[in-house]
Amino acid sequence: MNELTKAEEQVMKYAWKLEKAFLKDIVAEFPEPKPAYTTISTVVRVLVKKDFLKFETFGKIRQYYPTISKETYFKKHMKDVIGNFFSGSASKFALFFTNNEDLNLTELEKMKGMLENKIEKLKAKNE
């Protein structure tokens, strides 16, 4: 899977949100000042070439839709980040994240609860 540039990620963010959209719909999602229509059109064409978007043609216009879910892309992207920057160790990533973010006690307790829940599920699965 190819990496997305910042501009491509922005367009994909709106494509994922809209699920199916014409170019004008994607352009409408951008906040003011909006990028030029032609700029967004170019990014969309690149995303089609990279196979992140496909389209259906209705006369002279195209309706675009994502070929990969946001969750699948994010999972792959995070796996690459952990592999490249944390020697493939999710625990090193978690330690880095907790040490470098301003997390309050409530957020840390919530994370702890999610981890404990995941541990219990894995234990039950392995029994």
Side-chain angles (χ1 to χ4, degrees):
M1 176 188 328
N2 293 321
E3 288 281 323
L4 294 175
T5 65
K6 291 279 185 204
E8 292 165 352
E9 264 187 25
Q10 188 70 39
V11 169
M12 285 304 297
K13 180 175 115 178
Y14 299 133
W16 284 318
K17 176 183 172 189
L18 298 168
E19 296 179 6
K20 284 191 170 190
F22 297 100
L23 186 57
K24 67 178 180 65
D25 300 323
I26 295 170
V27 171
E29 289 293 315
F30 279 83
E32 294 293 340
K34 295 182 186 304
Y37 189 91
T38 53
T39 301
I40 298 171
S41 176
T42 300
V43 173
V44 166
R45 278 197 310 277
V46 170
L47 288 167
V48 169
K49 275 187 182 175
K50 286 184 166 184
D51 205 32
F52 279 93
L53 291 176
K54 289 205 181 288
F55 59 86
E56 294 178 47
T57 304
F58 298 93
K60 293 183 179 183
I61 60 173
R62 295 175 174 178
Q63 185 179 42
Y64 298 93
Y65 57 92
T67 59
I68 182 172
S69 72
K70 184 178 182 179
E71 292 76 21
T72 300
Y73 175 75
F74 185 71
K75 185 176 180 181
K76 168 74 169 87
H77 186 64
M78 287 308 299
K79 189 174 183 179
D80 289 346
V81 167
I82 291 169
N84 291 333
F85 296 100
F86 301 97
S87 305
S89 170
S91 57
K92 285 182 185 177
F93 168 73
L95 183 60
F96 172 84
F97 180 76
T98 55
N99 286 337
N100 291 289
E101 292 296 318
D102 290 331
L103 300 174
N104 62 35
L105 184 59
T106 303
E107 291 170 320
L108 288 169
E109 290 285 349
K110 188 174 182 180
M111 290 171 69
K112 179 183 173 188
M114 291 187 307
L115 286 170
E116 288 172 346
N117 188 13
K118 180 69 175 182
I119 290 167
E120 290 303 316
K121 285 181 181 178
L122 287 173
K123 282 181 179 178
K125 183 179 175 184
N126 290 331
E127 290 178 350

